[in-house]
Amino acid sequence: MDELKELDGILENLDEDLKNCNDINQLAKTKADYLGKKGPLANVMANMRNFSAEVKKEIGIRSNAIRKAIEEKIEEKRNNIEDALINAKLESEKIDVTLPGVKFQTGVIHPLNQIVMDLEDLYISMGYTVATGPEIETDEFCFEKLNLPKGHPARDMQDTFYINPELLLRSQTSPVQARKMLEEGGKPLKIICPGKVYRRDADDATHSHQFMQCEGLVLGHDITLADLKGALLEMARKMFGKDREIRLRPSFFPFTEPSVEVDVSCGMCHGKGCSTCKNSGWIEILGAGMVNDNVLRMNGYDPNIIQGFAFGIGIERLAMLKYNIDDIRNFYINDVRFLEQFKEVK
Ligand code: PHE
């Protein structure tokens, strides 16, 4: 009977079609072709009414089995296609763990900040606290309250950038002294104040219009120049090595009396004299002195009860000496080749 032959041929045709089918959309179409209303099974069914009950039964049983087989074959093919897709994806996304990784560019602490951090560590261990103040300062705090009235000749050394006649970029960290003294209202005090300062200097190898200082101020009963020397000797040895010495030379600052310039023994020649220390055996590192009575009085302290010392360290100067740097501008142009060298230094 034709219909039975037709049924027998369906699965063979399907096998042939599936062989060439490699994607899900095509498979969906093949499924519709075989099981849909216009498919071969539907076609056989459409002619059923022409057959005897016996043949109908036979065709019914066979076409059900074929329908089931078609569904199974299509399902199997779907699984194959999906597996192949996943495998292709896994293949293309495979990670080769033997390839070198991506290198991350890591930064480094700026040498000036490293010096500030070292100073903070040292002085905090000696009982000081760290204070800060504004970089835009008033003339009053930057100069007047430090015994530098308007027109004082010592102002010449600290010409700075003025915002108006009363507001300026601070030329030193000393105004933080005055601010803290007024805050403490006559009580003993032990602070360091690191920060940026500005001066109207033309930039060259040793001058920069912006640089950094770290101020120190200790006020209390019976504080003497010997205490100042001790505080600075500790610092010089921590920064440059245990074998270093310091010496104090008389100097002048309006806010200290007596005032000193502090030198550290030369690390190259150990005091004998060489080109680094210009044959003197010593290298100047900072200014300091006993706080001037006028400054104490102007900022709420009675010099008969409380005295003390102050010092001002130039951060760039320390860094240049410590790391052998010959041009201050290196700190500010941010050339990565320069900065990267400090990855190893500590
Ligand atoms: N402020 C002074 C300067 O910048 C340094 C200094 C600070 C000197 C404290 C004495 C005491 O030159």
Side-chain angles (χ1 to χ4, degrees), residues 158 171-174 177 199 213 215-216 253 255-256 287-289 310-312:
Q158 299 205 10
S171 55
Q172 49 184 353
T173 40
S174 306
Q177 286 187 31
R199 285 191 198 177
Q213 288 187 336
E215 195 83 5
F253 297 104
F255 25 86
T256 46
F311 57 83

Side-chain angles (χ1 to χ4, degrees), residues 208-220:
S208 170
H209 62 279
Q210 178 195 311
F211 57 104
M212 288 178 90
Q213 288 187 336
C214 180
E215 195 83 5
L217 174 67
V218 173
L219 296 176

Side-chain angles (χ1 to χ4, degrees), residues 146-217:
L146 298 170
N147 207 26
L148 266 154
K150 284 202 166 75
H152 192 293
R155 282 194 180 207
D156 278 1
M157 289 188 300
Q158 299 205 10
D159 196 9
T160 182
F161 303 94
Y162 283 82
I163 288 150
N164 63 41
E166 294 305 324
L167 267 189
L168 45 87
L169 295 186
R170 67 178 180 188
S171 55
Q172 49 184 353
T173 40
S174 306
V176 189
Q177 286 187 31
R179 289 184 173 276
K180 286 291 147 186
M181 284 160 86
L182 285 168
E183 250 175 65
E184 286 302 312
K187 291 204 289 283
L189 186 63
K190 213 170 164 185
I191 53 168
I192 55 162
C193 334
K196 293 195 210 79
V197 298
Y198 306 83
R199 285 191 198 177
R200 203 173 150 271
D201 277 336
D203 294 357
D204 63 22
T206 52
H207 295 86
S208 170
H209 62 279
Q210 178 195 311
F211 57 104
M212 288 178 90
Q213 288 187 336
C214 180
E215 195 83 5
L217 174 67

Side-chain angles (χ1 to χ4, degrees), residues 18-125:
L18 288 183
K19 246 188 233 162
N20 303 322
C21 168
N22 286 314
D23 80 83
I24 292 288
N25 291 336
Q26 202 186 337
L27 186 68
K29 192 174 169 299
T30 307
K31 185 176 178 183
D33 286 349
Y34 279 82
L35 299 176
K37 277 187 197 144
K38 290 183 181 150
L41 276 180
N43 200 23
V44 173
M45 291 302 186
N47 296 326
M48 284 285 258
R49 64 189 132 80
N50 304 328
F51 303 126
S52 65
E54 216 169 302
V55 175
K56 267 188 196 163
K57 196 177 165 196
E58 172 80 15
I59 293 180
I61 291 169
R62 300 260 300 262
S63 51
N64 269 344
I66 288 171
R67 174 180 295 279
K68 216 173 148 226
I70 294 174
E71 281 168 352
E72 278 169 11
K73 279 174 188 286
I74 288 192
E75 203 42 44
E76 190 188 333
K77 186 73 185 178
R78 179 191 307 283
N79 288 338
N80 289 346
I81 293 176
E82 280 173 359
D83 283 355
L85 276 178
I86 287 172
N87 285 336
K89 211 168 171 195
L90 283 176
E91 193 64 31
S92 70
E93 289 177 0
K94 198 160 69 179
I95 296 170
D96 181 351
V97 290
T98 65
L99 282 175
V102 181
K103 271 211 175 132
F104 288 101
Q105 190 104 29
T106 51
V108 47
I109 295 173
H110 193 282
L112 297 178
N113 287 335
Q114 187 62 57
I115 296 276
V116 169
M117 285 158 76
D118 290 349
L119 288 173
E120 286 178 352
D121 279 354
L122 172 73
Y123 282 109
I124 287 171
S125 79

Side-chain angles (χ1 to χ4, degrees), residues 298-317:
M298 267 188 281
N299 296 295
Y301 283 70
D302 180 349
N304 294 317
I305 302 172
I306 287 206
Q307 315 79 34
F309 63 76
F311 57 83
I313 305 171
I315 303 295
E316 280 78 358
R317 187 150 179 77

